PDB file of all heavy atoms in Angstrom:
ATOM      1  N   ALA A  13      -5.021   1.972 -29.223  1.00  0.00           N
ATOM      2  CA  ALA A  13      -4.892   2.369 -30.632  1.00  0.00           C
ATOM      3  C   ALA A  13      -6.091   3.182 -31.141  1.00  0.00           C
ATOM      4  O   ALA A  13      -5.931   4.024 -32.029  1.00  0.00           O
ATOM      5  CB  ALA A  13      -4.707   1.128 -31.496  1.00  0.00           C
ATOM      6  N   PHE A  24      -5.334  -2.281 -34.149  1.00  0.00           N
ATOM      7  CA  PHE A  24      -4.752  -3.599 -34.419  1.00  0.00           C
ATOM      8  C   PHE A  24      -5.803  -4.642 -34.762  1.00  0.00           C
ATOM      9  O   PHE A  24      -5.663  -5.391 -35.724  1.00  0.00           O
ATOM     10  CB  PHE A  24      -3.937  -4.080 -33.193  1.00  0.00           C
ATOM     11  CG  PHE A  24      -2.711  -3.255 -32.992  1.00  0.00           C
ATOM     12  CD1 PHE A  24      -2.730  -2.136 -32.176  1.00  0.00           C
ATOM     13  CD2 PHE A  24      -1.535  -3.568 -33.649  1.00  0.00           C
ATOM     14  CE1 PHE A  24      -1.602  -1.352 -32.018  1.00  0.00           C
ATOM     15  CE2 PHE A  24      -0.400  -2.796 -33.502  1.00  0.00           C
ATOM     16  CZ  PHE A  24      -0.431  -1.680 -32.684  1.00  0.00           C
ATOM     17  N   ARG A  25      -6.875  -4.701 -33.968  1.00  0.00           N
ATOM     18  CA  ARG A  25      -7.773  -5.842 -34.055  1.00  0.00           C
ATOM     19  C   ARG A  25      -9.111  -5.550 -34.709  1.00  0.00           C
ATOM     20  O   ARG A  25      -9.970  -6.430 -34.776  1.00  0.00           O
ATOM     21  CB  ARG A  25      -7.984  -6.432 -32.645  1.00  0.00           C
ATOM     22  CG  ARG A  25      -6.701  -6.984 -32.089  1.00  0.00           C
ATOM     23  CD  ARG A  25      -6.713  -7.388 -30.649  1.00  0.00           C
ATOM     24  NE  ARG A  25      -5.353  -7.781 -30.287  1.00  0.00           N
ATOM     25  CZ  ARG A  25      -4.379  -6.895 -29.974  1.00  0.00           C
ATOM     26  NH1 ARG A  25      -4.641  -5.597 -29.926  1.00  0.00           N
ATOM     27  NH2 ARG A  25      -3.154  -7.327 -29.709  1.00  0.00           N
ATOM     28  N   TYR A  56       8.588  -1.068 -39.554  1.00  0.00           N
ATOM     29  CA  TYR A  56       8.545  -0.012 -38.528  1.00  0.00           C
ATOM     30  C   TYR A  56       8.966   1.337 -39.099  1.00  0.00           C
ATOM     31  O   TYR A  56       8.466   2.373 -38.681  1.00  0.00           O
ATOM     32  CB  TYR A  56       9.379  -0.398 -37.299  1.00  0.00           C
ATOM     33  CG  TYR A  56       8.581  -1.263 -36.354  1.00  0.00           C
ATOM     34  CD1 TYR A  56       8.678  -2.638 -36.384  1.00  0.00           C
ATOM     35  CD2 TYR A  56       7.665  -0.690 -35.463  1.00  0.00           C
ATOM     36  CE1 TYR A  56       7.914  -3.436 -35.546  1.00  0.00           C
ATOM     37  CE2 TYR A  56       6.895  -1.479 -34.624  1.00  0.00           C
ATOM     38  CZ  TYR A  56       7.022  -2.851 -34.670  1.00  0.00           C
ATOM     39  OH  TYR A  56       6.241  -3.624 -33.851  1.00  0.00           O
ATOM     40  N   ARG A  59       5.808   2.567 -40.670  1.00  0.00           N
ATOM     41  CA  ARG A  59       4.814   2.984 -39.667  1.00  0.00           C
ATOM     42  C   ARG A  59       5.264   4.254 -38.942  1.00  0.00           C
ATOM     43  O   ARG A  59       4.458   5.121 -38.615  1.00  0.00           O
ATOM     44  CB  ARG A  59       4.567   1.841 -38.671  1.00  0.00           C
ATOM     45  CG  ARG A  59       3.767   0.709 -39.296  1.00  0.00           C
ATOM     46  CD  ARG A  59       3.486  -0.396 -38.327  1.00  0.00           C
ATOM     47  NE  ARG A  59       2.656   0.011 -37.216  1.00  0.00           N
ATOM     48  CZ  ARG A  59       2.765  -0.492 -35.986  1.00  0.00           C
ATOM     49  NH1 ARG A  59       3.659  -1.418 -35.733  1.00  0.00           N
ATOM     50  NH2 ARG A  59       1.969  -0.078 -35.033  1.00  0.00           N
ATOM     51  N   HIS A 108       4.185   0.324 -23.973  1.00  0.00           N
ATOM     52  CA  HIS A 108       4.722  -0.523 -25.043  1.00  0.00           C
ATOM     53  C   HIS A 108       5.838   0.156 -25.823  1.00  0.00           C
ATOM     54  O   HIS A 108       6.121  -0.208 -26.954  1.00  0.00           O
ATOM     55  CB  HIS A 108       3.583  -0.978 -25.973  1.00  0.00           C
ATOM     56  CG  HIS A 108       2.616  -1.908 -25.302  1.00  0.00           C
ATOM     57  ND1 HIS A 108       1.338  -2.172 -25.773  1.00  0.00           N
ATOM     58  CD2 HIS A 108       2.738  -2.658 -24.161  1.00  0.00           C
ATOM     59  CE1 HIS A 108       0.745  -3.031 -24.963  1.00  0.00           C
ATOM     60  NE2 HIS A 108       1.560  -3.341 -23.980  1.00  0.00           N
ATOM     61  N   VAL A 152       7.546  -2.863 -27.340  1.00  0.00           N
ATOM     62  CA  VAL A 152       7.397  -4.137 -26.623  1.00  0.00           C
ATOM     63  C   VAL A 152       6.641  -5.127 -27.509  1.00  0.00           C
ATOM     64  O   VAL A 152       5.491  -4.886 -27.887  1.00  0.00           O
ATOM     65  CB  VAL A 152       6.646  -3.940 -25.282  1.00  0.00           C
ATOM     66  CG1 VAL A 152       6.533  -5.274 -24.541  1.00  0.00           C
ATOM     67  CG2 VAL A 152       7.370  -2.909 -24.414  1.00  0.00           C
ATOM     68  N   GLY A 155       5.505 -11.556 -25.761  1.00  0.00           N
ATOM     69  CA  GLY A 155       6.441 -12.397 -25.012  1.00  0.00           C
ATOM     70  C   GLY A 155       7.514 -11.593 -24.299  1.00  0.00           C
ATOM     71  O   GLY A 155       8.320 -12.170 -23.570  1.00  0.00           O
ATOM     72  N   GLU A 156       7.542 -10.278 -24.517  1.00  0.00           N
ATOM     73  CA  GLU A 156       8.563  -9.452 -23.866  1.00  0.00           C
ATOM     74  C   GLU A 156       7.981  -8.745 -22.646  1.00  0.00           C
ATOM     75  O   GLU A 156       6.784  -8.431 -22.586  1.00  0.00           O
ATOM     76  CB  GLU A 156       9.101  -8.407 -24.852  1.00  0.00           C
ATOM     77  CG  GLU A 156       9.858  -9.041 -26.002  1.00  0.00           C
ATOM     78  CD  GLU A 156      10.516  -8.010 -26.904  1.00  0.00           C
ATOM     79  OE1 GLU A 156       9.888  -6.974 -27.206  1.00  0.00           O
ATOM     80  OE2 GLU A 156      11.651  -8.251 -27.321  1.00  0.00           O
ATOM     81  N   THR A 181      -9.310   1.231 -26.382  1.00  0.00           N
ATOM     82  CA  THR A 181      -8.558  -0.029 -26.281  1.00  0.00           C
ATOM     83  C   THR A 181      -9.529  -1.196 -26.184  1.00  0.00           C
ATOM     84  O   THR A 181     -10.581  -1.078 -25.559  1.00  0.00           O
ATOM     85  CB  THR A 181      -7.596  -0.045 -25.069  1.00  0.00           C
ATOM     86  OG1 THR A 181      -6.868  -1.290 -25.068  1.00  0.00           O
ATOM     87  CG2 THR A 181      -8.308   0.111 -23.744  1.00  0.00           C
ATOM     88  N   SER A 182      -9.113  -2.330 -26.795  1.00  0.00           N
ATOM     89  CA  SER A 182      -9.941  -3.540 -26.693  1.00  0.00           C
ATOM     90  C   SER A 182      -9.772  -4.178 -25.314  1.00  0.00           C
ATOM     91  O   SER A 182     -10.604  -4.984 -24.896  1.00  0.00           O
ATOM     92  CB  SER A 182      -9.531  -4.538 -27.777  1.00  0.00           C
ATOM     93  OG  SER A 182      -8.151  -4.847 -27.655  1.00  0.00           O
ATOM     94  N   GLU A 186      -2.398  -8.174 -22.232  1.00  0.00           N
ATOM     95  CA  GLU A 186      -1.871  -8.171 -20.864  1.00  0.00           C
ATOM     96  C   GLU A 186      -0.359  -7.957 -20.881  1.00  0.00           C
ATOM     97  O   GLU A 186       0.277  -8.271 -21.883  1.00  0.00           O
ATOM     98  CB  GLU A 186      -2.192  -9.502 -20.174  1.00  0.00           C
ATOM     99  CG  GLU A 186      -3.676  -9.796 -20.020  1.00  0.00           C
ATOM    100  CD  GLU A 186      -4.388  -8.843 -19.056  1.00  0.00           C
ATOM    101  OE1 GLU A 186      -3.713  -8.031 -18.400  1.00  0.00           O
ATOM    102  OE2 GLU A 186      -5.618  -8.895 -19.003  1.00  0.00           O
ATOM    103  N   ASN A 206     -15.444   4.387 -26.306  1.00  0.00           N
ATOM    104  CA  ASN A 206     -15.151   3.426 -27.377  1.00  0.00           C
ATOM    105  C   ASN A 206     -16.412   3.290 -28.236  1.00  0.00           C
ATOM    106  O   ASN A 206     -17.507   3.263 -27.696  1.00  0.00           O
ATOM    107  CB  ASN A 206     -14.778   2.056 -26.771  1.00  0.00           C
ATOM    108  CG  ASN A 206     -14.006   1.175 -27.737  1.00  0.00           C
ATOM    109  OD1 ASN A 206     -14.445   0.922 -28.852  1.00  0.00           O
ATOM    110  ND2 ASN A 206     -12.843   0.706 -27.301  1.00  0.00           N
TER     111      ASN A 206
HETATM  112  C1  BJW B 301     -11.842   3.401 -31.262  1.00  0.00           C
HETATM  113  C2  BJW B 301     -11.972   4.131 -32.449  1.00  0.00           C
HETATM  114  C3  BJW B 301     -12.130   5.523 -32.320  1.00  0.00           C
HETATM  115  C4  BJW B 301     -11.739   2.061 -32.968  1.00  0.00           C
HETATM  116  N1  BJW B 301     -12.158   6.099 -31.090  1.00  0.00           N
HETATM  117  N2  BJW B 301     -11.878   3.988 -30.058  1.00  0.00           N
HETATM  118  C5  BJW B 301      -2.243 -13.169 -19.707  1.00  0.00           C
HETATM  119  C6  BJW B 301      -3.329 -13.743 -20.335  1.00  0.00           C
HETATM  120  C7  BJW B 301      -3.302 -13.978 -21.703  1.00  0.00           C
HETATM  121  C8  BJW B 301      -2.194 -13.650 -22.463  1.00  0.00           C
HETATM  122  C9  BJW B 301      -1.126 -13.082 -21.833  1.00  0.00           C
HETATM  123  C10 BJW B 301      -1.158 -12.850 -20.478  1.00  0.00           C
HETATM  124  N3  BJW B 301       0.021 -12.275 -20.122  1.00  0.00           N
HETATM  125  C11 BJW B 301       0.780 -12.140 -21.224  1.00  0.00           C
HETATM  126  C12 BJW B 301       0.115 -12.635 -22.273  1.00  0.00           C
HETATM  127  C13 BJW B 301       0.624 -12.673 -23.669  1.00  0.00           C
HETATM  128  C14 BJW B 301       0.482 -11.378 -24.417  1.00  0.00           C
HETATM  129  C15 BJW B 301      -0.996 -11.027 -24.561  1.00  0.00           C
HETATM  130  O1  BJW B 301      -1.534 -10.193 -23.882  1.00  0.00           O
HETATM  131  N4  BJW B 301      -1.672 -11.672 -25.506  1.00  0.00           N
HETATM  132  C16 BJW B 301      -3.087 -11.418 -25.735  1.00  0.00           C
HETATM  133  C17 BJW B 301      -3.273 -10.796 -27.136  1.00  0.00           C
HETATM  134  C18 BJW B 301      -3.833 -12.704 -25.598  1.00  0.00           C
HETATM  135  N5  BJW B 301       1.194 -10.298 -23.768  1.00  0.00           N
HETATM  136  C19 BJW B 301       2.511 -10.117 -23.926  1.00  0.00           C
HETATM  137  O2  BJW B 301       3.183 -10.894 -24.583  1.00  0.00           O
HETATM  138  C20 BJW B 301       3.131  -8.926 -23.225  1.00  0.00           C
HETATM  139  N6  BJW B 301       4.288  -9.313 -22.508  1.00  0.00           N
HETATM  140  C21 BJW B 301       4.246 -10.007 -21.361  1.00  0.00           C
HETATM  141  O3  BJW B 301       3.190 -10.322 -20.864  1.00  0.00           O
HETATM  142  O4  BJW B 301       5.476 -10.276 -20.832  1.00  0.00           O
HETATM  143  C22 BJW B 301       5.528 -11.134 -19.698  1.00  0.00           C
HETATM  144  C23 BJW B 301       5.681 -12.517 -20.218  1.00  0.00           C
HETATM  145  C24 BJW B 301       6.831 -12.824 -20.901  1.00  0.00           C
HETATM  146  C25 BJW B 301       6.985 -14.121 -21.361  1.00  0.00           C
HETATM  147  C26 BJW B 301       5.978 -15.055 -21.181  1.00  0.00           C
HETATM  148  C27 BJW B 301       4.811 -14.706 -20.497  1.00  0.00           C
HETATM  149  C28 BJW B 301       4.679 -13.414 -19.997  1.00  0.00           C
HETATM  150  C29 BJW B 301       3.605  -7.909 -24.243  1.00  0.00           C
HETATM  151  C30 BJW B 301       2.490  -7.339 -25.042  1.00  0.00           C
HETATM  152  C31 BJW B 301       3.058  -6.411 -26.120  1.00  0.00           C
HETATM  153  C32 BJW B 301       1.990  -5.873 -27.059  1.00  0.00           C
HETATM  154  N7  BJW B 301       2.615  -5.234 -28.158  1.00  0.00           N
HETATM  155  C33 BJW B 301       1.784  -4.589 -29.173  1.00  0.00           C
HETATM  156  C34 BJW B 301       2.695  -4.148 -30.338  1.00  0.00           C
HETATM  157  C35 BJW B 301       3.515  -2.916 -29.924  1.00  0.00           C
HETATM  158  C36 BJW B 301       4.386  -2.411 -31.030  1.00  0.00           C
HETATM  159  C37 BJW B 301       3.640  -1.948 -32.259  1.00  0.00           C
HETATM  160  O5  BJW B 301       2.714  -1.141 -32.184  1.00  0.00           O
HETATM  161  O6  BJW B 301       4.015  -2.386 -33.332  1.00  0.00           O
HETATM  162  O7  BJW B 301       1.092  -3.484 -28.607  1.00  0.00           O
HETATM  163  S1  BJW B 301       0.459  -5.658 -29.759  1.00  0.00           S
HETATM  164  C38 BJW B 301      -0.734  -4.362 -29.894  1.00  0.00           C
HETATM  165  O8  BJW B 301      -1.807  -4.587 -28.954  1.00  0.00           O
HETATM  166  C39 BJW B 301      -0.020  -3.087 -29.441  1.00  0.00           C
HETATM  167  C40 BJW B 301      -1.074  -2.413 -28.634  1.00  0.00           C
HETATM  168  O9  BJW B 301      -0.516  -1.468 -27.752  1.00  0.00           O
HETATM  169  C41 BJW B 301      -1.769  -3.559 -27.944  1.00  0.00           C
HETATM  170  C42 BJW B 301      -3.143  -3.244 -27.440  1.00  0.00           C
HETATM  171  O10 BJW B 301      -4.035  -3.043 -28.500  1.00  0.00           O
HETATM  172  P1  BJW B 301      -5.129  -1.882 -28.408  1.00  0.00           P
HETATM  173  O11 BJW B 301      -4.473  -0.582 -28.286  1.00  0.00           O
HETATM  174  O12 BJW B 301      -6.130  -2.212 -27.393  1.00  0.00           O
HETATM  175  O13 BJW B 301      -5.746  -1.940 -29.901  1.00  0.00           O
HETATM  176  P2  BJW B 301      -6.927  -2.887 -30.451  1.00  0.00           P
HETATM  177  O14 BJW B 301      -6.831  -2.862 -31.921  1.00  0.00           O
HETATM  178  O15 BJW B 301      -6.946  -4.199 -29.788  1.00  0.00           O
HETATM  179  O16 BJW B 301      -8.263  -2.117 -29.999  1.00  0.00           O
HETATM  180  C43 BJW B 301      -8.599  -0.869 -30.549  1.00  0.00           C
HETATM  181  C44 BJW B 301      -9.879  -0.363 -29.886  1.00  0.00           C
HETATM  182  O17 BJW B 301     -10.148   0.935 -30.400  1.00  0.00           O
HETATM  183  C45 BJW B 301     -11.116  -1.211 -30.201  1.00  0.00           C
HETATM  184  O18 BJW B 301     -11.801  -1.492 -28.991  1.00  0.00           O
HETATM  185  C46 BJW B 301     -11.963  -0.310 -31.118  1.00  0.00           C
HETATM  186  O19 BJW B 301     -13.365  -0.490 -30.928  1.00  0.00           O
HETATM  187  C47 BJW B 301     -11.524   1.061 -30.650  1.00  0.00           C
HETATM  188  N8  BJW B 301     -11.701   2.145 -31.639  1.00  0.00           N
HETATM  189  N9  BJW B 301     -11.916   3.316 -33.506  1.00  0.00           N
HETATM  190  C48 BJW B 301     -12.035   5.338 -30.011  1.00  0.00           C
HETATM  191  N10 BJW B 301     -12.282   6.360 -33.447  1.00  0.00           N
END
Side-chain angles (χ1 to χ4, degrees):
F24 292 91
R25 296 171 185 81
Y56 276 96
R59 288 182 64 213
H108 293 162
V152 181
E156 294 186 318
T181 182
S182 57
E186 298 293 353
N206 200 306

